[in-house]
Amino acid sequence: GVSDGSPSLEVSWTAVPGSGITYTVWYSTSAETEPPYGAIIIKGLTGTSTTLSGLEQGTRYYIWVAALSSVGQGSYSTRVSETTYTVPDAPTDLMIYPPSGSCDQLMVTWTASSNTGGLPVMYTVFGNGVEMHSMIATESTILRNLTADTEYTVTVVAVNELGEGGNVTGTGRTRPEAPSVSLSVPSSTQLRIMLTAPTGSFSLTYKCNITEIDMSPKTVTGT
């Protein structure tokens, strides 16, 4: 479990017969520890479960339980161990590119974190240091309302209940805006195309596709 940003472990056991029984739990991060030496102790438990809280992230804990009656303490249980949750690893394979036909968007894709830390993972995406999307459960998103022909530094951060984990960063550039086009007809055999380039400190080349349209008179028959 997770409590106040720190992982926890739920420990349960089977009750032993008898009256007035209480239980003691020992836990340690060292596999070499043997209770009661070098272990943290929780005494006087009357139920058959407890929560070990305030633990370290991604750490293996070794746990023992013993019953205590009016005549003394019984034997230790068999040692069990478990690793606590941790923050996720960074996502990988980041790709950033402008969608076709768009000058104010960037498509961002990535591969999910290989280690989730044991908890569900979401992703937060930053563009030039500004949070643009959060709580993304998939491995892609589109950054919208960007500035045309501008490079963006994009960071994708893996997040789970414990907080931010690893991140991956890359750059992508939006497409330039389309030029404005106006036409004039200087003569019957000429067509003048005038292009107004968008603003920006960049070098552009243009490709014009001209399709001939038959404008000759047509005779239509019928009623």
Side-chain angles (χ1 to χ4, degrees):
V2 177
S3 176
D4 298 327
S6 297
S8 59
L9 290 174
E10 303 292 328
V11 183
S12 62
W13 55 90
T14 301
V16 298
S19 60
I21 299 293
T22 62
Y23 300 91
T24 302
V25 174
W26 292 262
Y27 64 97
S28 172
T29 58
S30 172
E32 305 303 320
T33 297
E34 291 293 339
Y37 305 104
I40 298 173
I41 304 172
I42 303 175
K43 297 181 177 181
L45 300 173
T46 56
T48 56
S49 65
T50 191
T51 300
L52 310 183
S53 58
L55 307 180
E56 296 294 324
Q57 295 181 14
T59 301
R60 179 164 290 276
Y61 283 83
Y62 302 88
I63 303 162
W64 303 259
V65 180
L68 182 69
S69 70
S70 58
V71 297
Q73 178 182 296
S75 301
Y76 300 118
S77 66
T78 300
R79 185 186 72 182
V80 296
S81 66
E82 185 60 80
T83 300
T84 54
Y85 297 142
T86 187
V87 294
D89 288 349
T92 58
D93 304 323
L94 179 65
M95 296 184 64
I96 308 161
Y97 57 92
S100 178
S102 169
C103 64
D104 65 349
Q105 298 179 1
L106 285 174
M107 186 74 186
V108 183
T109 66
W110 60 89
T111 298
S113 305
S114 58
N115 176 17
T116 67
L119 295 165
V121 175
M122 299 288 185
Y123 298 93
T124 302
V125 179
F126 296 83
N128 285 352
V130 178
E131 182 179 307
M132 307 194 76
H133 294 289
S134 63
M135 302 300 289
I136 301 173
T138 59
E139 286 80 58
S140 66
T141 190
I142 297 177
L143 307 185
R144 306 179 189 273
N145 302 317
L146 306 179
T147 302
D149 195 56
T150 300
E151 184 173 89
Y152 285 84
T153 299
V154 178
T155 300
V156 180
V157 183
V159 182
N160 65 16
E161 192 176 346
L162 286 174
E164 292 187 356
N167 66 77
V168 60
T169 297
T171 60
R173 193 177 191 91
T174 52
R175 299 179 188 275
E177 294 177 346
S180 60
V181 181
S182 60
L183 304 175
S184 63
V185 184
S187 71
S188 61
T189 59
Q190 293 180 326
L191 178 64
R192 179 177 291 136
I193 303 173
M194 290 170 287
L195 305 177
T196 302
T199 58
S201 57
F202 43 74
S203 175
L204 295 177
T205 59
Y206 299 98
K207 180 175 70 173
C208 295
N209 296 318
I210 301 175
T211 302
E212 182 178 353
I213 302 174
D214 186 359
M215 299 296 290
S216 60
K218 300 293 188 297
T219 301
V220 179
T221 59
T223 57

